[in-house]
Amino acid sequence: ILFIILFLYAKKPRKDGSLLGIYLICYSLLRFSLEFLRGDVERGILLGISTSQWISLLLIPAGIFLLKKNPLTTDTDRKSGI
């Protein structure tokens, strides 16, 4: 599912880092939800959520930052030599 989303998103020229931002957000949301189904006590739980869920919560703002940042050039500008 994530591959299809990224593949479709990458077809058009995008700002630098936006594809990585989409990946971080989507992967984090998927990982956060899947960890509820695992029920692994071995991996550590803090405040009711696992370590992987905490990491996912940290990656979501990083993905949003990559989407919101305003680079001076895009991929197409580099390819055309601007």
Side-chain angles (χ1 to χ4, degrees):
I1 295 172
L2 182 56
F3 171 76
I4 294 168
I5 293 169
L6 294 173
F7 183 75
L8 293 175
Y9 185 79
K11 282 191 170 199
K12 295 182 183 177
R14 306 285 181 181
K15 293 188 297 185
D16 287 346
S18 65
L19 186 63
L20 178 60
I22 291 289
Y23 171 76
L24 288 176
I25 293 169
C26 290
Y27 177 79
S28 297
L29 291 173
L30 288 169
R31 180 66 185 242
F32 188 86
S33 8
L34 286 175
E35 283 293 317
F36 279 118
L37 302 174
R38 287 183 66 132
D40 259 350
V41 181
E42 296 174 359
R43 298 190 186 268
I45 295 178
L46 179 66
L47 299 175
I49 60 176
S50 70
T51 306
S52 299
Q53 289 172 317
W54 281 111
I55 293 169
S56 294
L57 289 176
L58 293 174
L59 289 177
I60 290 172
I64 293 171
F65 171 76
L66 288 172
L67 284 178
K68 296 288 183 180
K69 76 174 188 161
N70 192 9
L72 298 175
T73 60
T74 61
D75 287 335
T76 54
D77 290 343
R78 271 197 212 108
K79 290 176 185 173
S80 64
I82 295 177

